[in-house]
């Protein structure tokens, strides 16, 4: 997910939305961020970009740089402090902002682990080399992830992202091979 038109040309082209500001934390201007998934990208990045939620009262379309002085996990969230946010009132005003980080700041995944953002747009073919479509997104059902694949006609297929069906993933080549028929 990349931001659309941006007024600030200094933003990296590889921004990925990783969470949202749930509110202030403490009295010294820290914020509490609810991550969309794993918190590793938030904890690894030293600069976050905050964008007000669309339709928020008084929301501008301007991005705000949040240089992270310190961050840590706290009860399923990430709390962070920045010199750019001097007190609780400023932190509270950030509630609802989307939090974006540069994809370059993500930690390297382990073998056979993938970031969802790297899979979106990949071509999916089966073992017979028939094209099923491209990855439009992923769904987490609690037990495992599911590839949401859309073909050229707009038809959608859901393929469990588990070893029994996913035979290979080439992130650099944007190609995934699955054991899945066209008629499934």
């Amino acid at each position: 997910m990349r931001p659309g038109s941006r007024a600030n040309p200094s933003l990296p082209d590889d921004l990925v939305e990783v969470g949202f500001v749930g509110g202030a934390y403490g009295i010294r201007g820290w914020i509490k961020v609810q991550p969309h998934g794993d918190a590793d990208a938030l904890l690894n990045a030293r600069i976050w970009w905050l964008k007000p939620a669309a339709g928020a009262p008084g929301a501008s379309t301007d991005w705000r740089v949040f240089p992270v002085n310190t961050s840590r996990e706290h009860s399923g969230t990430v709390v962070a402090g920045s010199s750019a946010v001097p007190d609780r009132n400023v932190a509270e005003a950030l509630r609802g902002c989307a939090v974006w980080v540069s994809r370059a700041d993500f930690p390297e995944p382990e073998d056979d682990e993938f970031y969802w953002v790297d899979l979106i747009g990949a071509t999916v073919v089966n073992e017979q080399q028939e094209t099923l479509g491209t990855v439009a997104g992923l769904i987490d059902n609690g037990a495992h992830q599911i590839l949401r694949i859309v073909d050229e006609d707009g038809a959608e297929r859901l393929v469990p992202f588990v070893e029994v069906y996913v035979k290979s993933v080439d992130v650099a080549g944007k190609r995934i091979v699955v054991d899945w028929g066209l008629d499934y």
Side-chain angles (χ1 to χ4, degrees), residues 7-181:
N8 184 348
S10 66
L11 292 172
D13 288 332
D14 66 344
L15 288 180
V16 178
E17 185 177 349
V18 294
F20 66 91
V21 178
Y25 177 79
I27 61 171
R28 295 189 176 160
W30 282 40
I31 60 172
K32 185 186 302 187
V33 175
Q34 182 63 53
H36 290 322
D38 195 309
D40 288 346
L42 281 165
L43 296 168
N44 203 55
R46 300 297 12 137
I47 297 176
W48 299 349
W49 284 268
L50 308 181
K51 183 166 178 59
S60 80
T61 57
D62 294 331
W63 292 77
R64 182 173 183 151
V65 176
F66 186 90
V68 180
N69 294 350
T70 186
S71 63
R72 62 181 167 85
E73 289 187 85
H74 177 73
S75 300
T77 65
V78 173
V79 295
S82 172
S83 56
V85 182
D87 60 44
R88 183 177 179 85
N89 293 334
V90 175
E92 195 59 47
L94 297 173
R95 180 187 299 270
C97 285
V99 179
W100 299 69
V101 300
S102 170
R103 172 61 183 90
D105 288 335
F106 282 39
E108 283 298 315
E110 299 292 326
D111 290 339
D112 291 331
E113 288 187 349
F114 309 96
Y115 288 114
W116 288 16
V117 68
D118 295 337
L119 300 178
I120 295 173
T123 300
V124 180
V125 299
N126 62 20
E127 293 177 305
Q128 293 74 37
Q129 300 307 306
E130 299 168 316
T131 300
L132 300 174
T134 60
V135 178
L138 286 99
I139 301 166
D140 187 346
N141 73 359
H144 54 77
Q145 287 75 39
I146 300 170
L147 292 171
R148 191 170 66 80
I149 303 164
V150 177
D151 68 16
E152 60 191 22
D153 296 326
E156 183 177 88
R157 286 185 176 85
L158 301 177
V159 177
F161 193 67
V162 294
E163 189 174 351
V164 69
Y165 298 117
V166 177
K167 299 305 177 184
S168 68
V169 177
D170 177 4
V171 172
K174 299 292 269 183
R175 181 178 167 91
I176 300 173
V177 177
V178 297
D179 181 9
W180 203 263

